[in-house]
Amino acid sequence: MQALGRHILVEYFDCRNELLNDVPYIEQSMVAAARKADATVINSTFHHFSPFGVSGVVVIQESHLAIHTWPEYGYAAVDLFTCGDTVDPWIAYNELKRLLEAGSGSSIEMLRGQLGLIPGTRQEMEAHREDHAVQLGKPANGYSPGEQATSLAPKYSRNVWFTERSENTAHSFRHTGKQLYREQSPFQLVEVYDTYAWGKTLTLDRMVMTTEKDEFIYHEMIAHVGLFSHPNPKRVLVIGGGDGGAVREILRHEGLEKVVMVEIDEKVIEASKLHLPAISSAFDHPKLELIVGDGIAYVEESMDDAFDLVLVDSTDPVGPGEGLFTERFYRHVHRILRPGGIQITQSESPHYAPALFREIYACYRQVFGNEHVHCYLAHIPTYPSGMWSFSWAMKGEGHPFNGLDRNRIDAFCRQHGLKYYNADIHQGAFCLPTFTREMVENDPKVEATAAASELTAS
Ligand code: SPD
């Protein structure tokens, strides 16, 4: 080749729009295209622009591949730049066209650094390149595909991130780039990532639901606070909780007769069974009745006084979780609880969605009565703001921690090796910072629309 490199400027038209907004998919496709063309991938970095668009570069031993996408136009602009003779950029072109599901593509090829147009080589630098090539055991002019086998070969490291976004903030998790699970169910996008800091991580519609490393906090707190504050629980209903962590904790209580779990999305159960076995470990428990169905309909159709504890392990109130945040739903939960029965819900973060948080508690107070609703907190590092809340509400008179049997709790925690919940935490979790207490106790002075818009994922 009479030039230092080949540069192909590519335009892909009529691509599948949603693929062009999916950072992991774009990154994986670019890396796959580079590999298919026999390039040696060194590193990659990709970025999502809100609300639409991805930019990224894959650095290869033979130069680079770069992309910028405009999902709303189904359009992607790509640079394929290769040096040497070992990589055929047209292979990368065809592979990307296939992966982006492009209707058509156009391209211009330029030779970069045409040897007839650039002045002669600096002799001393050329000599240095030759010395280095000898060390690597390859031809001086080449970018031999065998280079990877030498000990001086560059190491490929990936820098890929999952980001949970809201309107104005984001929380990112670096992951290996190998997506373990990805299914668009009829309800939501279900994914599992392998993250470096938090282990395998289940996300729904790009919001973190649970991670291997901190799931114990959420699941111990959603289960044991309600169960230990009830004098004699026998029948428990769980709405949601498809990963299985809540029922795993609930079923540690041997005095229970029956636990019914109603999860709307079988893909969540599938993803958890496949990739989060320690969380989904109780799905085969003989006392568990696992129903794949609509939790709202189940509650509406249940008989009065059917359960001692109803636990709502919902997603955030966008998508399928939305109906679980309505007064109508909680009136039915109240109806199906036995007198003295307890409702526990995850109630979001007071920092993250303050208007929604106030509304949720105003709703519980309407349904259960002012004196019968309490809020408790846990520190969950992988949820937005890290400060997460749960609600405790009783049908009738009672208190969340007066009269706790501390010895029984301590023995239970030791027996089951619990890592967050204990008798002190049970009581201490109900101590609220002043701003949170005011939000729980005061009537919301915000428009419903403000609350609704707080959690709209971008
Ligand atoms: N923003 C995170 C809210 C997650 C609530 N549910 C988590 C399900 C874990 N079983």
Side-chain angles (χ1 to χ4, degrees):
M1 186 172 61
Q2 291 306 300
L4 297 177
R6 301 166 77 178
H7 197 165
I8 306 186
L9 301 177
V10 182
E11 308 209 283
Y12 292 119
F13 303 100
D14 208 12
C15 305
R16 184 133 76 83
N17 306 70
E18 57 272 27
L19 296 182
L20 297 186
N21 208 32
D22 183 335
V23 185
Y25 185 83
I26 295 292
E27 195 258 358
Q28 283 157 18
S29 301
M30 292 286 282
V31 169
R35 292 215 164 114
K36 182 129 190 172
D38 240 347
T40 302
V41 175
I42 295 174
N43 205 344
S44 65
T45 183
F46 281 75
H47 179 78
H48 183 259
F49 294 96
S50 193
F52 304 122
V54 175
S55 284
V57 182
V58 178
V59 179
I60 54 176
Q61 180 66 22
E62 301 82 2
S63 203
H64 71 261
L65 279 60
I67 189 166
H68 308 276
T69 73
W70 281 261
E72 65 275 42
Y73 296 106
Y75 169 77
V78 171
D79 288 12
L80 306 171
F81 194 142
T82 59
C83 298
D85 296 325
T86 57
V87 174
D88 181 350
W90 291 105
I91 294 178
Y93 170 90
N94 285 325
E95 182 64 355
L96 265 181
K97 184 169 182 233
R98 184 182 75 79
L99 290 168
L100 301 181
E101 299 182 22
S104 62
S106 77
S107 57
I108 304 172
E109 179 168 354
M110 294 173 67
L111 292 181
R112 305 301 299 265
Q114 291 188 54
L115 295 180
L117 298 178
I118 50 179
T121 323
R122 298 243 174 115
Q123 293 302 314
E124 71 284 5
M125 292 180 77
E126 184 61 19
H128 182 69
R129 182 192 282 281
E130 280 174 17
D131 286 350
H132 185 64
V134 170
Q135 283 177 37
L136 290 172
K138 64 174 188 176
N141 63 347
Y143 294 83
S144 124
E147 181 171 324
Q148 260 183 315
T150 76
S151 60
L152 293 176
K155 295 265 183 303
Y156 170 44
S157 70
R158 307 181 87 175
N159 191 17
V160 253
W161 296 76
F162 167 84
T163 298
E164 175 172 340
R165 292 162 199 282
S166 66
E167 197 63 21
N168 298 314
T169 59
H171 188 189
S172 294
F173 300 73
R174 186 167 174 229
H175 63 90
T176 60
K178 203 173 119 199
Q179 197 164 17
L180 300 175
Y181 188 93
R182 181 191 168 88
E183 286 280 340
Q184 177 66 54
S185 80
F187 307 101
Q188 56 208 342
L189 177 61
V190 184
E191 296 172 288
V192 179
Y193 291 91
D194 195 2
T195 72
Y196 287 108
W198 299 102
K200 301 207 177 73
T201 297
L202 171 73
T203 69
L204 299 179
D205 280 345
R206 305 197 62 77
M207 288 175 273
V208 170
M209 289 298 123
T210 201
T211 82
E212 276 181 320
K213 289 205 181 158
D214 73 346
E215 57 88 11
F216 68 95
I217 307 172
Y218 180 94
H219 293 127
E220 289 180 18
M221 289 301 278
I222 201 167
H224 303 308
V225 173
L227 283 161
F228 276 114
S229 49
H230 190 289
N232 191 21
K234 291 291 174 206
R235 289 176 55 84
V236 177
L237 171 64
V238 179
I239 301 297
D243 53 60
V247 292
R248 179 197 65 199
E249 292 304 314
I250 291 166
L251 286 159
R252 295 189 198 279
H253 291 254
E254 288 170 7
L256 295 176
E257 285 168 2
K258 177 153 192 163
V259 178
V260 180
M261 174 180 145
V262 189
E263 164 61 50
I264 200 165
D265 194 341
E266 64 186 339
K267 292 293 174 193
V268 178
I269 298 171
E270 179 181 270
S272 191
K273 279 184 173 170
L274 285 172
H275 298 292
L276 302 166
I279 301 179
S280 57
S281 57
F283 279 142
D284 294 327
H285 195 288
K287 288 184 187 168
L288 177 67
E289 183 184 353
L290 175 56
I291 298 173
V292 176
D294 181 354
I296 299 171
Y298 185 89
V299 167
E300 290 187 2
E301 288 158 18
S302 290
M303 292 190 328
D304 295 2
D305 301 347
F307 293 97
D308 299 302
L309 194 83
V310 175
L311 196 151
V312 186
D313 181 6
S314 64
T315 56
D316 301 296
V318 283
E322 218 169 315
L324 300 175
F325 288 79
T326 62
E327 185 172 328
R328 177 188 165 92
F329 174 71
Y330 291 108
R331 290 213 177 274
H332 279 288
V333 172
H334 184 268
R335 179 183 60 73
I336 68 173
L337 278 171
R338 288 180 178 149
I342 296 171
Q343 170 194 277
I344 301 284
T345 69
Q346 75 86 3
S347 52
E348 301 288 309
S349 167
H351 281 301
Y352 187 62
L356 175 80
F357 182 85
R358 284 173 194 271
E359 278 203 356
I360 290 173
Y361 278 89
C363 168
Y364 297 153
R365 286 188 289 115
Q366 284 281 334
V367 174
F368 285 84
N370 276 345
E371 305 309 313
H372 304 146
V373 175
H374 299 263
C375 170
Y376 64 96
L377 300 174
H379 177 75
I380 304 182
T382 59
Y383 286 177
S385 86
M387 179 186 184
W388 210 254
S389 75
F390 300 86
S391 77
W392 183 103
M394 182 171 264
K395 181 172 177 176
E397 299 303 321
H399 193 271
F401 55 81
N402 287 349
L404 270 193
D405 184 344
R406 297 179 63 95
N407 291 336
R408 190 164 76 92
I409 293 179
D410 287 342
F412 179 92
C413 294
R414 269 198 306 277
Q415 181 193 348
H416 294 284
L418 300 194
K419 291 187 285 181
Y420 192 89
Y421 176 80
N422 57 44
D424 288 340
I425 282 281
H426 183 128
Q427 182 160 348
F430 288 89
C431 291
L432 302 181
T434 307
F435 83 95
T436 311
R437 197 168 60 209
E438 285 171 1
M439 291 167 81
V440 169
E441 290 172 0
N442 296 343
D443 281 330
K445 298 193 173 42
V446 288
E447 296 296 316
T449 47
S453 63
E454 270 175 346
L455 279 173
T456 308
S458 68

